[in-house]
Amino acid sequence: MTHDRHSYAEPALVRTTHLELDLELDFAAKVLTGSATHTLAWAGTGDRLVLDTRDLTVVAVEGATGDGWEALEYSLAVPDKELGSALTIRTARHERVRVSYRTAPTATGLQWLEPAMTAGGVMPFMFSQSQAIHARSWVPVQDTPSVRFSYSAHVTAPPELMVLMSADNGTTSRRTGSYDVVMPEPIPSYLLAIAAGDLVFEPIGERSGVWAEPEMARRAATEFADTEEMMRVTEELFGPYRWGRYDLLVLPPSFPYGGMENPRMTFATPTVVIGDKSLVSVVAHELAHSWSGNLVTQDSWDDIWLNEGFTSYVENRIVEAVYGAEFAEMETAIKQHATVVKLDPLTPAELAVELPGLNHHSEYHGTTSTGPLKGSWFLSWLEERFSREVFDPFLRGYFDRFAFRSINSDDFVAHLQEHLLEPHPGVVTEAEISAWLNEPGIPSFARRAVSERFQAVDEARDRWLTTGELPAGAERWTTQEWLRFLDAAPDVLSPLLLQQLDRAFGLTGTANGEIARRWYQIVAASSYEASYAELAEFLTKVGRMKLVLPVYRALAGTDRAFAAEVFAKARPGYHPITTAAVQKILGQ
């Protein structure tokens, strides 16, 4: 039996403790070629090593001997659509095993961009996205978060390009065509990351800076100027930052996520660089992962709430400390509103599938964001009931105790019982804890975030819908107020109302991706063709799934032919992960 149902690896028998990568980037063929050498820790009596792969061509497998390398017998299983192929290697319990291989141009964890798809328009770009189980598409590895390993890499690339990894890259952007990096701390495979392009460095603070294309670097450094302060307040709350540097790499707009918490080198979307710091909670979120997720890690994707739920909680504490309680409350209210609206019409049976208890293992936890939000809500509830004076030391102790380890929900519950519930009896009941851990939905006793500014926004929206009176002062609203206004608006609005709102506030063509996503979702659902050209431009320029998938879903319900036409134009610039998600929506 494998330890993790999303992986073929058998860590109970043998584990990778260190990985050496020797890679060459071939932009013409859109492949990586090279080798991955595993240093292994054996247990039990077995002699086989099973690695996860997806669409890799294995050239050779060798085991280290006293005076060199010897060929090893291996087999590559028939591929599974989701999990890829198990690479089974017969060994004599070798301490080191080397796999020589090359990737496929269609590797799901890599994107190769033509120069025209970059900000500079001159040099190509490539980057990886390993979460959740895409590392196996560019490295033969035990692709499960239950296995942690340090790594080193030697990478060769065209000399005009800078290569970066989720490792100690330094701060010089001198380009040599040959790069060596080291990640001394043990990480799970989904945090393996690589990127190459026309990249320069812009410092933010002593431990932080921005890597980006020259056209973006200074703007991004200004937008992310509070990063060092975020690091400081998080250390005060939850213990030292244990990864050396914290740098951000701003990727081209095809990057499918807001951010990816690769240690020492967060990969970030350019859609948050809009000039007013209103979307920098993405940075707070990815930084928070340096404690929750990277430092203490879920041991399988079934327990993703241990990564994302804890991170969303820590993110909110960072936002509050740096930008104030009101801003943090609005951010929380936006997330909670989306969840409550989604759950309200569900039957009990549907709810059990859609949002089960945190202890419940299901595919759902690895594929959506609602489960992690329940985890964050649970931690906020614990904080409210026990007080920050009690809860903050508990959480800091959790990070200290499980640092650089992978754990599951049972491990956390045991820690919760021993270090919070038993020392403070009577504060919460067993039934209340069970409601979070074992029952579907959000418990009725959970406090909803309330913002006075949002109450005013809700009143303004209701007046507009009832009387046609435009919201007074909305031109001075923050991003969060506009998000609330659009989130709670009807899915479908009349052309007259849409035209009125757009003429007054210029929502069509907005540079703010979060506002654009919500506006174009309503535009699509309402078949408001006056904004279709800008909607199509938005879907073509941006590849972040959070922003484009809701618009495609709305279009699929009103004008599937137009959606397919837009997708056909946008697809060359999308990451494979985004492409697959849109195809699923459009039934392709």
Side-chain angles (χ1 to χ4, degrees), residues 56 85 189-190 249 305 325 333 458 509 538 567:
L56 298 182
S85 302
S189 57
Y190 73 88
L249 169 61
W305 81 274
D458 290 343
F538 173 72
F567 176 51

Side-chain angles (χ1 to χ4, degrees), residues 392-459:
D392 285 0
F394 161 77
L395 197 54
R396 180 168 181 158
Y398 166 81
F399 292 134
D400 288 340
R401 178 181 180 181
F402 296 111
F404 299 110
R405 291 173 57 186
S406 298
I407 67 170
N408 57 35
S409 291
D410 291 340
D411 296 321
F412 167 73
V413 171
H415 182 80
L416 175 73
Q417 188 70 35
E418 179 182 357
H419 294 279
L420 188 63
L421 303 184
E422 291 178 0
H424 304 278
V427 177
V428 299
T429 67
E430 289 185 10
E432 288 173 324
I433 295 294
S434 180
W436 289 103
L437 296 178
N438 303 313
E439 297 173 15
I442 301 295
S444 59
F445 52 80
R447 184 187 75 85
R448 269 62 171 172
V450 176
S451 164
E452 291 184 6
R453 292 172 70 170
F454 279 3
Q455 290 175 333
V457 169
D458 290 343
E459 292 169 2

